[in-house]
Amino acid sequence: MDNWIMIGALLVLMGFAYQFGVLRSRSVAAGGAVRMHSRPGYYGLLVALWCGLPALAVFLLWSMIEPSMIRSVVIEQLPPEVAALDGNQINVILRRVESIASGFGVSDQPAAYELAAAARVSELQGTGRMSMIALMAALAVGGLVFTLRRISPALRARNKVESVVQTLLIICSTIAILTTIGIVLSMLGEAMRFFQFVNPVDFFFGTVWNPRFSTVGSGDQGQFGLLPLLWGTIMVSIVALLIAVPVGLMTAIYMAEYAPGWLRSVAKPVIEVLAGIPTIVYGFFALVTVGPFFHGLGLAVGLDIRTTSALTAGVVMGIMIIPFVSSLSDDIITQVPRAMRDGSLGLGATKAETIRNVVLPAALPGIVGAFLLAASRAIGETMIVVLAAGNSPVLHANPFEAVSTVTVTIVNQLTGDLDFASPQSLVAFALGLTLFVITLALNVVALYIVRKYREQYE
Amino acid sequence: MSDQAVTHDTPHAPPQSGRQWTPQHELVKKSLGRRHAAEKRFRAAGMSAVLFGLAMVALLFVTIFAKGIPAFWQATFNIPVYFDPEIVKVEPRPQAQPGETPAQLRDRDLAWQTQVTMVNWNRVIENALIEHLPEAASKRPLVRRLVTSGERFGLRDMFVANPELLGQRVTLRLLADANVDVWLKGNIDRDLPDSQQQLPPEVRQWADALYERGVIEMKFSTSLFMNPDSRSSLASAGLAGAIMGSLYMMLIVILIAVPVGVASAIYLEEYAPRNKFTDLIEVNINNLAAVPSIIFGLLGAAVFINWFKMPLSAPIVGGLVLSLMTLPTVIIATRSTLKAIPPSIRQAALGIGASKTQTIFHHVLPLALPGILTGAIIGVAQAIGETAPLLLIGMSAFVASVPATPFDQATALPVQIYLWQGNELRNFFEARTSAAIVVLLAVMISMNALAILLRKRFEQRW
């Protein structure tokens, strides 16, 4: 809470600094007699920035460093037999010390060394706090006064403020890159640790997935074969694409070429609602509605269809990506030049023939791109398969049986306690890396195709 | 598109005079029927694809709402409860004494609360029920099964908050047990044999009798919104914790993803020179937008939890992960809005002497604001519906309290749905999960509606 008050105080000070800057620049300008370089607001902003930014930087650095400094000082001061305890017990003691230092007290009688440590902590915290406030105040006031004195007709305040703004913008735009780097590095790092336990060949080409939780020292690590999971992913994705691509493509064609305006304006947003529904909702829908429906259908025709199966998950996932396919294809079909259609129609082709023989071939690269993007979406989808695919990592080709996928296994291996030392947890990162590489490849190819296609008709 | 231009309906007419009737004409005429049939089939296929899509939307909403809406009303007792001093035997609540540290007072207070907890609150509830069911006086263990077990803690909390209740009679609303609710709503087959019923026959009879007499009523379930999750008392399991968790995460996404995304879009679209590096950023952002969400969960687990040692299950971590996930969406939406602002506006501003930054912040951004807001709202809505990354940073842990700060343990609405759908008491939780989904969908639909409204209201055509 104190920290918020300090930030608030700093912001208020910055507000004053702005006003001071504006007033000062006005007085320097002497009512228009002197021609200033920038408008008054920029002088105000410059003063405010000089007042606020250095103090803020000190505040951030200090808050990051101070707790660990105090901690190490206190641990040094503890009697040797206490300091020799292991990490958790030290933490308990430090917490007690802290609560004595804060004046809240502990319910039993504190030991002498605890009281001494607490006194030291409150002393350190007090001096630390005081010196931080002093430093911040000095910087803020110093920056304020310094900049105020610099205000002169020649000071290029606007350019300085603008360069600060631009720097901030650049910092923000690097965050997206940092995220990618973070993804790649964390995946690679943890996956490498996994490959210290398991041979990469056994992982990428193993046909058995059976990651037993080994007891310590038994040397039995279980089998981490990727292929059953990958095959499950592919099977579910194929089912999904078999639903989504024909339906999505036909929807796009109908919407772009046939549908009257009113139908288009109603049906398009309604179908796009499908894209906005959270995937957990689809998972639940698959589990309680679609799965039992297929099961009953199977009984009726004498087939054994499991309630949770590759079919259930795939069909529901297909429904989910219909709007994805249809809106991408719609964009692409409407981009095919009118003249090509008119040429074909003029030769006497029917509308369907024109679409099949002229529009679709012309749009094919774009549609392939859309197809690849949809495939990457299907492969990375998680919640539907977690709920509706049945989680059975066995290599088989029957879509009516339960399967397991890469994403399901990541969730299974990494929920609950996170233990970053066992192959059973670390395998999630190797799987994640595989998934990332596959979807990345699909996306890069798809985006390339779509972009090339756009250029073709622009 | 579907207009008049198609003229191939006329070739049925005989050939115009002055032209020769050739075998080719005959051939074309013969094939016409087939070609027109193909045209009709194609058209019908398109129509049925659209209908399939619409039907799926309808099916999804109808099944979920049909299951979910009734769950907003829950079987509730409306009965007077007597805080009998014979049963509730506790000392007065401890007050602060001079020379006592706050920690010691807290310890004494906790001891007193333990004492209050030890009171046989079940007996208080049983007595209240037996007033209406005199015949059940000899079967107390069965009577207890009518009311959900969490209500005894409800009574305790009421008493802790207001110890003057001792010896008073208060009319209270007590939630019926989940199985009673299921029975009264007919969510379990009423004709099943006793061995397959969740409740003994007497309890079922009493429930029916009390329902007929109006002692049990279907009341709008405030507990669904006011209570956190519960595992021991299923009927009082609520969404409060999940809603707060989602709210915190939404706040963090709004505070981080939206400003950072808008700032980087401005830089990329307005300032950045066209070179290899900005191309790289551009490709990178497009790919990041298509990275599966679960990968962001892995990133969160490895970086925020393993490296930075941030707390498991905390909305702050979830919010950060979702922010990174939403960032590309916001950037792409903002960039396309900025692209749509005609260059003439920039040129006009630059022409009368504005600097580049002034042009952008004084002229371009205000015009782009509605579009940016729309994109941001859609991005945030997407983020709060996301489940998979949250599972990986421990948000699927069972949390029986409402988080007070973003650093406390919490879950989120979609994660709560995931947890509830797995509950063993399917008859009760299928409906309750659907109700949670209705809440989630309501939040998302209203956000999207807001976005559409903004777009409609402020849309500019150049």
Side-chain angles (χ1 to χ4, degrees):
Chain A
M1 216 54 233
D2 271 4
N3 290 345
W4 293 113
I5 292 174
M6 279 169 72
I7 299 274
L10 195 60
L11 285 177
V12 170
L13 192 61
M14 282 172 76
F16 278 114
Y18 175 82
Q19 291 301 333
F20 286 146
V22 171
L23 289 178
R24 168 87 185 146
S25 76
R26 289 228 168 94
S27 78
V28 170
V34 184
R35 206 176 143 73
M36 303 292 283
H37 172 270
S38 311
R39 294 174 56 80
Y42 285 101
Y43 292 100
L45 276 176
L46 188 67
V47 177
L49 286 175
W50 267 96
C51 166
L53 286 185
L56 203 63
V58 165
F59 175 75
L60 287 180
L61 274 178
W62 200 287
S63 324
M64 263 189 264
I65 296 171
E66 195 192 23
S68 58
M69 294 270 289
I70 289 186
R71 186 189 160 97
S72 64
V73 169
V74 170
I75 289 182
E76 220 159 83
Q77 205 211 348
L78 291 174
E81 71 274 12
V82 180
L85 293 171
D86 70 16
N88 283 334
Q89 284 165 302
I90 292 251
N91 280 341
V92 170
I93 290 171
L94 287 178
R95 218 166 296 142
R96 279 171 61 89
V97 166
E98 222 154 75
S99 100
I100 299 171
S102 68
F104 187 73
V106 287
S107 50
D108 58 350
Q109 200 55 45
Y113 70 86
E114 284 178 331
L115 285 176
R120 184 94 178 108
V121 166
S122 51
E123 181 197 331
L124 278 176
Q125 274 174 344
T127 46
R129 190 127 211 114
M130 286 320 289
S131 37
M132 180 175 84
I133 293 176
L135 188 58
M136 280 174 67
L139 277 175
V141 174
L144 198 159
V145 172
F146 172 70
T147 329
L148 268 186
R149 294 177 64 98
R150 277 174 65 202
I151 291 179
S152 67
L155 180 67
R156 300 165 69 83
R158 177 174 59 72
N159 305 47
K160 286 180 193 291
V161 171
E162 286 180 357
S163 68
V164 172
V165 169
Q166 203 171 337
T167 314
L168 285 178
L169 294 181
I170 292 178
I171 292 173
C172 287
S173 66
T174 51
I175 289 182
I177 298 199
L178 287 181
T179 310
T180 311
I181 296 176
I183 290 178
V184 172
L185 284 187
S186 61
M187 293 292 153
L188 268 180
E190 306 292 339
M192 283 305 140
R193 281 171 62 198
F194 169 71
F195 288 133
Q196 287 170 356
F197 293 101
V198 177
N199 187 343
V201 177
D202 291 343
F203 173 69
F204 286 112
F205 300 102
T207 54
V208 179
W209 175 265
N210 186 14
R212 268 161 302 190
F213 276 89
S214 57
T215 46
V216 180
S218 69
D220 182 14
Q221 294 289 7
Q223 285 162 294
F224 298 89
L226 172 69
L227 289 182
L229 308 178
L230 206 56
W231 173 240
T233 304
I234 291 172
M235 202 148 74
V236 174
S237 305
I238 288 175
V239 176
L241 291 175
L242 281 180
I243 299 277
V245 170
V247 175
L249 196 56
M250 284 314 289
T251 305
I253 290 172
Y254 189 80
M255 291 293 190
E257 307 278 341
Y258 290 105
W262 65 268
L263 180 63
R264 197 179 148 91
S265 66
V266 172
K268 224 179 148 184
V270 171
I271 289 181
E272 256 150 43
V273 163
L274 285 173
I277 293 174
T279 55
I280 180 78
V281 178
Y282 281 105
F284 183 72
F285 176 64
L287 193 64
V288 303
T289 309
V290 180
F293 169 74
F294 279 133
H295 184 67
L297 200 70
L299 286 182
V301 297
L303 268 174
D304 181 26
I305 303 181
R306 294 275 306 267
T307 317
T308 54
S309 64
L311 183 72
T312 311
V315 167
V316 174
M317 197 191 285
I319 294 172
M320 184 189 78
I321 50 182
I322 286 173
F324 192 68
V325 176
S326 76
S327 67
L328 276 173
S329 317
D330 195 331
D331 285 353
I332 289 155
I333 288 170
T334 44
Q335 268 176 29
V336 174
R338 175 98 207 168
M340 292 178 76
R341 290 188 185 81
D342 290 347
S344 165
L345 291 172
L347 287 173
T350 65
K351 214 164 179 179
E353 285 164 349
T354 305
I355 293 165
R356 267 201 301 254
N357 301 331
V358 177
V359 177
L360 285 186
L364 192 64
I367 290 171
V368 171
F371 174 81
L372 292 181
L373 284 178
S376 119
R377 180 64 71 94
I379 289 173
E381 172 45 45
T382 310
M383 290 324 291
I384 294 176
V385 275
V386 165
L387 293 189
N391 191 22
S392 124
V394 182
L395 213 47
H396 63 73
N398 182 358
F400 304 140
E401 281 287 326
V403 292
S404 186
T405 71
V406 175
T407 48
V408 172
T409 315
I410 293 176
V411 170
N412 286 344
Q413 299 303 112
L414 219 52
T415 35
D417 271 338
L418 290 184
D419 168 16
F420 281 88
S422 74
Q424 278 79 9
S425 290
L426 289 173
V427 69
F429 291 93
L431 291 170
L433 189 65
T434 318
L435 187 68
F436 182 68
V437 170
I438 295 174
T439 52
L440 188 70
L442 283 173
N443 290 334
V444 169
V445 174
L447 288 176
Y448 175 78
I449 293 176
V450 170
R451 196 190 261 195
K452 267 267 161 301
Y453 169 80
R454 286 227 174 97
E455 283 163 8
Q456 193 184 334
Y457 290 117
E458 257 166 12
Chain B
M1 250 349 337
S2 62
D3 39 23
Q4 60 316 313
V6 194
T7 49
H8 45 253
D9 281 337
T10 41
H12 292 286
Q16 303 276 312
S17 59
R19 271 165 123 208
Q20 278 287 287
W21 180 252
T22 64
Q24 277 83 3
H25 279 114
E26 199 57 42
L27 217 63
V28 169
K29 202 180 168 194
K30 261 194 201 154
S31 70
L32 266 183
R34 191 167 42 76
R35 289 173 60 203
H36 286 170
E39 165 81 28
K40 283 214 181 74
R41 279 200 303 276
F42 192 71
R43 208 182 157 127
M47 189 75 198
S48 46
V50 174
L51 286 180
F52 179 77
L54 295 178
M56 284 303 134
V57 179
L59 183 66
L60 192 73
F61 277 89
V62 167
T63 50
I64 287 181
F65 278 73
K67 280 206 178 77
I69 299 291
F72 284 101
W73 283 265
Q74 210 176 334
T76 312
F77 287 90
N78 198 5
I79 48 173
V81 174
Y82 178 47
F83 286 80
D84 191 346
E86 286 295 301
I87 306 172
V88 187
K89 286 184 196 150
V90 287
E91 297 153 18
R93 186 165 198 168
Q95 302 293 325
Q97 282 167 7
E100 197 180 35
T101 66
Q104 283 161 341
L105 175 63
R106 190 188 59 182
D107 270 15
R108 286 205 300 137
D109 197 54
L110 283 177
W112 178 77
Q113 289 192 26
T114 315
Q115 205 188 1
V116 176
T117 308
M118 299 295 280
V119 166
N120 194 347
W121 292 110
N122 274 336
R123 206 170 169 83
V124 177
I125 296 174
E126 283 157 22
N127 286 346
L129 289 173
I130 287 169
E131 273 180 43
H132 290 277
L133 291 168
E135 72 271 26
S138 58
K139 294 174 182 165
R140 282 182 172 268
L142 288 179
V143 174
R144 204 177 303 157
R145 298 190 61 174
L146 282 167
V147 173
T148 191
S149 62
E151 290 298 0
R152 59 172 192 255
F153 304 115
L155 287 188
R156 178 201 63 191
D157 292 344
M158 262 177 78
F159 185 77
V160 168
N162 181 13
E164 268 141 47
L165 284 175
L166 191 63
Q168 290 191 23
R169 258 175 104 82
V170 207
T171 302
L172 292 179
R173 281 202 191 161
L174 302 177
L175 282 178
D177 187 75
N179 281 314
V180 173
D181 184 70
V182 168
W183 169 255
L184 289 176
K185 280 186 182 152
N187 281 346
I188 189 169
D189 188 353
R190 283 182 156 238
D191 301 327
L192 283 178
D194 281 355
S195 58
Q196 287 178 34
Q197 291 282 2
Q198 300 284 337
L199 292 172
E202 297 95 322
V203 181
R204 282 179 274 150
Q205 249 171 21
W206 296 336
D208 280 337
L210 290 175
Y211 187 52
E212 257 168 47
R213 276 187 260 155
V215 179
I216 303 181
E217 284 172 307
M218 292 295 165
K219 286 269 190 229
F220 188 78
S221 169
T222 48
S223 70
L224 185 62
F225 298 97
M226 309 302 287
N227 288 2
D229 195 12
S230 168
R231 267 184 197 170
S232 54
S233 167
L234 300 176
S236 48
L239 292 169
I243 291 175
M244 268 325 269
S246 278
L247 214 62
Y248 281 132
M249 280 190 262
M250 199 162 107
L251 208 67
I252 292 165
V253 173
I254 291 174
L255 287 179
I256 294 181
V258 175
V260 172
V262 171
S264 43
I266 292 174
Y267 177 73
L268 292 174
E269 197 56 41
E270 304 284 343
Y271 289 96
R274 287 259 143 252
N275 57 25
K276 281 259 179 293
F277 182 65
T278 44
D279 270 359
L280 182 76
I281 299 188
E282 170 138 21
V283 171
N284 172 38
I285 287 171
N286 282 337
N287 280 319
L288 212 51
V291 166
S293 60
I294 192 166
I295 300 282
F296 287 94
L298 285 172
L299 172 76
V303 174
F304 295 130
I305 292 188
N306 196 24
W307 288 1
F308 294 161
K309 302 285 176 218
M310 288 173 119
L312 270 173
S313 318
I316 178 85
V317 183
L320 286 174
V321 169
L322 293 180
S323 297
L324 292 181
M325 204 190 77
T326 322
L327 200 56
T329 317
V330 177
I331 295 178
I332 291 172
T334 308
R335 287 191 71 176
S336 65
T337 316
L338 289 176
K339 262 200 194 102
I341 308 273
S344 57
I345 297 212
R346 296 181 184 85
Q347 286 154 4
L350 290 171
I352 55 168
S355 73
K356 187 154 192 169
T357 309
Q358 284 171 332
T359 306
I360 292 161
F361 282 87
H362 296 175
H363 301 282
V364 179
L365 265 193
L367 290 174
L369 204 60
I372 293 176
L373 275 181
T374 310
I377 294 172
I378 289 174
V380 172
Q382 212 178 41
I384 59 165
E386 198 55 68
T387 322
L390 302 182
L391 296 183
L392 299 192
I393 53 168
M395 296 206 78
S396 59
F398 168 71
V399 181
S401 58
V402 181
T405 71
F407 299 89
D408 295 341
Q409 290 214 324
T411 116
L413 262 180
V415 180
Q416 190 69 67
I417 293 168
Y418 172 68
L419 293 174
W420 276 0
Q421 63 78 29
N423 194 293
E424 297 84 22
L425 189 57
R426 280 300 282 272
N427 291 329
F428 185 68
F429 269 94
E430 215 169 271
R432 205 129 177 117
T433 311
S434 305
I437 291 178
V438 171
V439 173
L440 178 66
L441 286 180
V443 173
M444 298 199 56
I445 288 172
S446 44
M447 289 185 75
N448 280 303
L450 182 67
I452 292 171
L453 205 75
L454 273 176
R455 189 158 50 195
K456 280 256 155 65
R457 177 85 179 66
F458 295 104
E459 193 177 43
Q460 293 222 23
R461 295 227 168 258
W462 304 99

